[in-house]
């Protein structure tokens, strides 16, 4: 997953984009980037690390302009350690394009071959986002009328992207001399919303991965961008939208509601917080079937994303809810840390127990999901060390048995703890006295009950049914083979004495291909 922003404003947007990326930091901690446009020039700065570390005052001053895009990266396709793959990406032909992408193309290798043999375009990294950028550039060139673009040509180009690209993609892009483009794949797997802010100078627009960025930056939510839809905002602040896919369908990634999105965001008309409350209600019913309720003294969440589910579960069971773990918020997500040893070490740095909530008690720990099981095992050990006499474990999501190929860097099937194990075996692996998983239909219903017409989801990491219909055993084997060959992180230092992960500042002087 990644976080993307696009802004068309009436005043300089550098601070606005920075603040928005800070709000979306949970969607990517690997790298960050901002591109702005000033006249015929794009200004771009990107680098590795958190937003606060990538951008200094001098970098912000070098990002003038009233419109731009931002990106926070969580590694999916490509390498987590190749910082040439930080976004946004830029290509100078045909009109000058800068693009940020959230998701993952499942036919990137085929497209890369087509780019070389048919479109005569060179892809310089292993990132599927650069492939997507070049597909869009080629389609814009094919749709243009000579040296000019119009609204129909831009939407025609997006339709071309939909015909050629498979997988998940939510995109923001800047077209030099024309405006800001945003679009979503025909299944709407990854979220994308837009809002507006009325000013005396005109209407400002903000496109974001999550509605929470609109809230915090003072924009009013307008709506979600529909699956297959494109939205274009020209330099005169006129907004145009069009459905560009032949057979769009709503099939959002249900893992967004389980874990990825902030609880205070709204995705496709559904409050993530309310969806997690509903997950807790249905999980409570499942717990009653597996564990005698009078055998549980206290319900304790694994912070932070499981808290709403745990709270609702405790209320439904009539059992006290307590905060038994204190989280160090200055340690990164263990979910995205490479290597089991580093992950195991970071759990102890990230969480500490409130001993009085465990000592002599039978505790039910609630987490949003269990992926590798490493974190769960460590947490169960911590609960026992704090004095718990019994430790039960409940997951607000079903067993994760399959990789996610649409933008979440989940491990190989061999690394997933649920692969080849039943619930009792998984409980033994993590050291719990009993384990309760959410049922997949109950998980889906937790979202559907809040929006009845939203009935289809990509739940492939749970059920192995990939919504794009192009994923098979051979594809998964190939993805896992590439993942297993991923190079180790370099220990070399850069010339400036840091960890070698230098940021990149670019000023791109572009010929204006359209409007003045």
């Amino acid at each position: 997953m990644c976080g993307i922003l696009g802004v068309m404003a009436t005043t300089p947007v550098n601070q606005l984009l920075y603040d928005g990326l800070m709000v979306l930091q949970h969607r990517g901690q690997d790298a960050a980037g901002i591109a702005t446009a000033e006249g015929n020039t794009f200004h771009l700065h990107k680098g590795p690390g958190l937003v606060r570390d990538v951008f200094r005052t001098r970098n912000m001053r070098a990002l003038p302009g009233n419109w731009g895009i931002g990106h926070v990266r969580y590694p999916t396709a490509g390498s987590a350690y190749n910082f040439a793959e930080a976004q946004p990406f830029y290509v100078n032909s045909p009109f000058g394009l800068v693009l940020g992408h959230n998701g993952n193309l499942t036919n990137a290798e085929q497209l890369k071959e087509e780019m070389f043999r048919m479109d005569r375009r060179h892809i310089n990294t292993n990132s599927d986002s650069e492939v997507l950028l070049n597909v869009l550039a080629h389609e814009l060139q094919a749709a243009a009328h000579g040296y000019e673009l119009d609204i129909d040509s831009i939407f025609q180009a997006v339709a071309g992207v939909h015909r050629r690209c498979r997988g998940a993609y939510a995109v923001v892009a800047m077209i030099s001399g024309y405006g800001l483009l945003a679009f979503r794949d025909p299944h709407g797997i990854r979220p994308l919303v837009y809002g507006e802010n009325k000013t005396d100078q005109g209407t400002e627009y903000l496109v974001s991965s999550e509605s929470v960025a609109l809230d915090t930056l003072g924009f009013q939510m307008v709506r979600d961008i529909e699956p297959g839809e494109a939205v274009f905002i020209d330099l005169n602040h006129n907004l145009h939208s069009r459905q560009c896919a032949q057979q769009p369908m709503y099939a959002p990634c249900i893992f967004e509601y389980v874990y990825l999105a902030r609880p205070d965001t709204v995705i496709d008309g559904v409050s993530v917080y309310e969806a997690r409350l509903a997950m807790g209600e249905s999980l409570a019913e499942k717990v009653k079937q597996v564990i005698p309720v009078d055998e549980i003294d206290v319900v304790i969440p694994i912070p932070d994303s499981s808290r709403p589910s745990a709270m609702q579960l405790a209320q439904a069971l009539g059992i006290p809810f307590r905060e038994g773990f204190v989280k160090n918020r200055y340690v990164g997500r263990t979910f995205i840390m490479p290597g089991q040893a580093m992950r195991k070490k970071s759990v102890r740095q990230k969480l500490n127990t409130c001993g009085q909530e465990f000592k002599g008690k039978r505790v039910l720990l609630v987490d949003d999901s269990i992926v590798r099981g490493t974190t769960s095992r460590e947490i169960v050990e911590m609960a026992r060390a704090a004095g718990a006499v019994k430790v039960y474990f409940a997951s607000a999501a079903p067993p994760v048995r399959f990789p996610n190929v649409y933008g979440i860097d989940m491990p190989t099937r061999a690394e997933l703890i649920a692969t080849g194990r039943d619930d009792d075996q998984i409980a033994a692996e993590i050291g719990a006295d009993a384990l309760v998983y959410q049922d997949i239909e109950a998980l889906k219903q937790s979202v559907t009950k809040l929006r009845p017409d939203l009935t289809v989801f990509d739940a492939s990491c749970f059920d192995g049914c990939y919504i794009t219909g192009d994923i098979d055993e051979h594809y998964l084997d190939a993805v896992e083979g590439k993942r297993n060959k991923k190079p180790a992180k370099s220990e070399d230092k850069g010339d400036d004495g840091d960890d070698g992960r230098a940021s990149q500042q670019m000023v791109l002087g572009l010929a204006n291909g359209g409007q003045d």
Side-chain angles (χ1 to χ4, degrees):
M1 64 179 180
C2 297
I4 58 176
L5 286 172
V7 181
M8 179 68 72
T10 57
T11 57
V13 295
N14 51 359
Q15 188 67 51
L16 195 65
L17 287 166
Y18 178 92
D19 293 343
L21 292 183
M22 289 289 286
V23 173
L24 297 180
Q25 185 73 85
H26 62 286
R27 298 192 68 88
Q29 301 174 345
D30 184 60
I34 289 175
T36 61
E38 180 190 34
N40 297 336
T41 303
F42 284 150
H43 302 272
L44 173 65
H45 180 76
K46 57 184 180 178
L50 302 175
V51 175
R52 69 184 182 210
D53 299 323
V54 173
F55 298 97
R56 304 297 185 187
T57 301
R58 64 181 180 275
N59 308 131
M60 298 296 288
R61 288 173 177 165
L63 292 169
N66 291 358
W67 58 297
I69 64 174
H71 188 275
V72 285
R73 180 176 187 259
Y74 165 93
T76 50
S79 167
Y81 312 120
N82 183 353
F83 293 104
E85 295 176 7
Q87 297 186 45
F89 278 116
Y90 162 73
V91 69
N92 64 353
S93 174
F95 298 97
L97 297 174
V98 181
L99 177 142
H101 164 219
N102 174 32
N104 190 52
L105 301 185
T106 57
N107 65 337
E109 292 302 317
Q110 173 193 334
L111 289 169
K112 192 179 295 185
E113 185 75 11
E114 289 179 8
M115 288 284 103
F116 176 72
R117 296 190 178 279
M118 298 169 55
D119 301 345
R120 296 293 186 262
R121 286 182 172 271
H122 173 68
I123 308 300
N124 200 49
T125 71
N126 291 322
S127 173
D128 63 315
S129 301
E130 190 187 7
V131 175
L132 178 58
L133 168 63
N134 278 273
V135 172
L136 175 61
H138 177 81
E139 294 300 322
L140 281 169
Q141 184 171 343
H145 305 290
Y147 298 104
E148 298 291 332
L149 277 176
D150 56 25
I151 299 301
D152 289 337
S153 300
I154 292 170
F155 289 141
Q156 183 181 336
V158 175
V161 171
H162 290 332
R163 286 192 300 270
R164 296 180 68 177
C165 294
R166 304 294 295 271
Y169 48 94
V171 174
V172 289
M174 303 165 71
I175 308 175
S176 177
Y178 289 95
L180 180 69
L181 174 65
F183 58 92
R184 198 173 176 193
D185 72 76
H187 292 93
I189 298 172
R190 292 283 153 245
L192 197 62
V193 302
Y194 79 90
E196 62 182 24
N197 177 41
K198 303 287 188 181
T199 73
D200 294 339
Q201 293 76 37
T203 302
E204 301 179 324
Y205 293 96
L206 174 64
V207 180
S208 173
S209 292
E210 295 188 25
S211 65
V212 64
L214 304 177
D215 302 336
T216 57
L217 297 178
F219 284 73
Q220 294 296 314
M221 172 83 167
V222 175
R223 62 179 176 84
D224 295 270
I225 294 177
E226 299 287 313
E229 184 186 19
V231 169
F232 180 73
I233 304 156
D234 64 33
L235 298 183
N236 294 319
H237 294 238
N238 298 309
L239 186 143
H240 314 265
S241 65
R242 186 175 302 176
Q243 177 56 252
C244 298
Q246 293 182 345
Q247 294 181 312
M249 66 176 292
Y250 251 122
C253 173
I254 203 161
F255 211 69
E256 291 277 356
Y257 299 98
V258 171
Y259 173 72
L260 300 183
R262 274 179 44 157
D264 49 343
T265 204
V266 177
I267 296 176
D268 294 317
V270 175
S271 162
V272 172
Y273 181 77
E274 290 186 21
R276 290 177 184 169
L277 290 177
M279 291 173 202
E281 290 179 4
S282 56
L283 184 58
E285 295 303 313
K286 184 71 178 293
V287 167
K288 291 177 184 177
Q289 301 170 22
V290 179
I291 305 169
V293 176
D294 58 5
E295 285 288 311
I296 305 170
D297 297 319
V298 64
V299 173
I300 295 176
I302 312 301
D304 282 315
S305 48
S306 67
R307 189 172 285 116
S309 295
M311 184 171 58
Q312 197 72 3
L313 178 148
Q315 181 175 322
L317 295 180
I319 297 172
F321 172 86
R322 293 289 186 270
E323 295 284 354
F325 293 99
V326 176
K327 184 176 181 180
N328 180 352
R329 302 184 185 280
Y330 302 97
V331 176
R333 278 186 169 184
T334 58
F335 183 84
I336 64 175
M337 289 184 176
Q340 294 284 62
M342 184 183 295
R343 249 189 316 277
K344 184 172 182 178
K345 178 182 177 183
S346 71
V347 173
R348 300 284 179 159
Q349 295 172 338
K350 185 176 182 179
L351 293 177
N352 193 35
T353 55
C354 294
Q356 66 272 21
E357 297 299 343
F358 293 92
K359 191 172 183 178
K361 296 180 181 179
R362 298 164 295 182
V363 301
L364 173 61
L365 305 181
V366 180
D367 208 347
D368 53 77
S369 58
I370 305 172
V371 183
R372 296 175 180 88
T374 307
T375 300
S376 303
R377 188 180 302 115
E378 284 286 301
I379 288 172
V380 170
E381 289 177 5
M382 291 170 67
R384 293 197 189 280
V389 295
K390 282 196 173 182
V391 181
Y392 305 115
F393 207 101
S395 168
V400 177
R401 301 189 189 279
F402 303 90
N404 183 290
V405 300
Y406 299 128
I408 309 173
D409 194 28
M410 282 186 173
T412 63
R413 286 164 289 182
E415 294 176 279
L416 296 168
I417 194 171
T419 300
R421 296 184 178 95
D422 61 25
D423 291 3
D424 291 339
Q425 291 171 323
I426 299 169
E429 282 289 323
I430 67 174
D433 293 292
L435 172 64
V436 181
Y437 275 112
Q438 181 88 268
D439 291 328
I440 190 165
E441 289 306 318
L443 175 64
K444 294 178 180 178
Q445 187 59 33
S446 298
V447 180
T448 298
K449 69 189 296 184
L450 300 171
R451 180 177 169 177
D453 64 331
L454 195 59
T455 59
V456 179
F457 303 92
D458 175 72
S460 53
C461 58
F462 305 122
D463 60 15
C465 298
Y466 294 91
I467 197 70
T468 55
D470 58 338
I471 307 302
D472 55 19
E473 194 79 11
H474 176 74
Y475 182 91
L476 295 178
D477 289 342
V479 169
E480 292 175 355
K482 290 175 66 176
R483 180 188 177 91
N484 290 333
K485 293 177 183 178
K486 186 178 289 187
K489 187 175 182 178
S490 171
E491 297 294 334
D492 294 339
K493 301 292 184 182
D495 293 338
D496 54 0
D498 62 9
D499 61 358
R501 304 183 301 171
S503 59
Q504 184 179 19
Q505 184 88 37
M506 301 171 66
V507 177
L508 307 171
L510 305 177
N512 190 340
Q515 303 166 13
D516 293 327

